[in-house]
Structure formats: C-alpha cells, structure tokens
Amino acid sequence: MTVIAEGYNTFNTNKKPSGTVKYLASPQDVIKLIQGGKLKEHILLVRGGTTTFLAPALSMGAIGVITMSGAPESHLGILTREFQIPCVMTVNLNDSKSKYVPGETPDSHFQEIIQTLEGKKVTLDCSDHDKGRISA
C-alpha cells in the first residue's frame, strides 16, 4: 500500500481501520448511511472539523474519519477521541500541490480531495503522535 494523503492525527492508536471512503456532505447523508446498514464498511470523509452532524455515525460504530480541514482540538477531533475512532484531519493529498490554508483555500482543493478519495479502499494509520496517514 502507498501513502496517498496525510494530515493531523487526533490521538495515537494502533487500530488501522480499512474501508471504502464515503463523502458525507449533510446530515441527510449521515442518516441515509446509518439506515443503509453499511456504516462499518466505510471511512467517513467530511469537509470540516466542526462537522458535528457526524456524531450519530460515531455513536453507531463508525470505523474511521477523514476531514479536509480542522484541527485535533476542534469539535470533531474531540468527539473522535472520545469514541476512540481513528481520525486524520486537514488531510492533504501527497501528489497534489494544493494545500489547505485557513481562510485562503479555494473550493477546488476540497473537490480534488473528494474526487481522489471517494470510493477508494483505504487504510488509516494513526500510530504517529502528530501525523495521520491514509494508504491505498
């Protein structure tokens, strides 16, 4: 497997969840995924660290989370630590020059991440204190 993206790690864990990346843009997407009964097959991709609408998925057994912005101190970072769900935040693609910069990042950055990761089978590695890695 090759590391295709990296970001902030929310907590150290030896869990290395694998699943297909599923982008969730709204609370309705979260409800639909939970009701579909396939929550544990997916690594959940959301836009920001304040995406608290993901909370029902965390309490229902989500296996991993990726965010495109936010910090481990943000709401979602705190929630993933509380639920002990590996999470990589403010992910940047290793083969892209586009990087997240607060207040300056164009929407094309987020769209590139969604297009690259959604539907891809990945594994999260959150064993490093600072850096989380996404391999495919």
Side-chain angles (χ1 to χ4, degrees):
M1 295 188 93
T2 302
V3 175
I4 60 171
E6 297 175 326
Y8 300 122
N9 183 16
T10 59
F11 68 98
N12 291 8
T13 180
N14 288 325
K15 293 180 186 176
K16 293 190 177 184
S18 292
T20 304
V21 176
K22 176 81 172 167
Y23 176 59
L24 302 170
S26 69
Q28 292 76 23
D29 291 344
V30 174
I31 292 168
K32 185 177 177 182
L33 178 63
I34 291 170
Q35 290 177 339
K38 297 186 177 185
L39 177 63
K40 294 180 186 283
E41 296 176 14
H42 296 284
I43 302 293
L44 308 178
L45 174 64
V46 293
R47 188 164 180 141
T50 58
T51 311
T52 53
F53 65 71
L54 199 58
L58 301 180
S59 66
M60 299 286 290
I63 61 170
V65 175
I66 301 168
T67 73
M68 294 182 265
S69 64
E73 299 81 11
S74 65
H75 292 84
L76 194 52
I78 293 167
L79 287 174
T80 58
R81 273 194 302 280
E82 287 298 316
F83 284 100
Q84 294 292 294
I85 298 169
C87 177
V88 180
M89 302 189 85
T90 309
V91 66
N92 286 301
L93 302 171
N94 286 351
D95 64 350
S96 173
K97 292 181 181 177
S98 178
K99 302 295 178 198
Y100 177 77
V101 178
E104 297 178 16
T105 303
D107 193 61
S108 60
H109 172 75
F110 302 113
Q111 294 305 317
E112 180 184 13
I113 291 172
I114 293 167
Q115 290 172 356
T116 301
L117 295 181
E118 188 168 40
K120 188 169 280 188
K121 174 95 173 179
V122 301
T123 299
L124 301 185
D125 181 351
C126 296
S127 60
D128 183 280
H129 179 70
D130 297 320
K131 191 176 286 189
R133 294 177 176 84
I134 301 166
S135 299

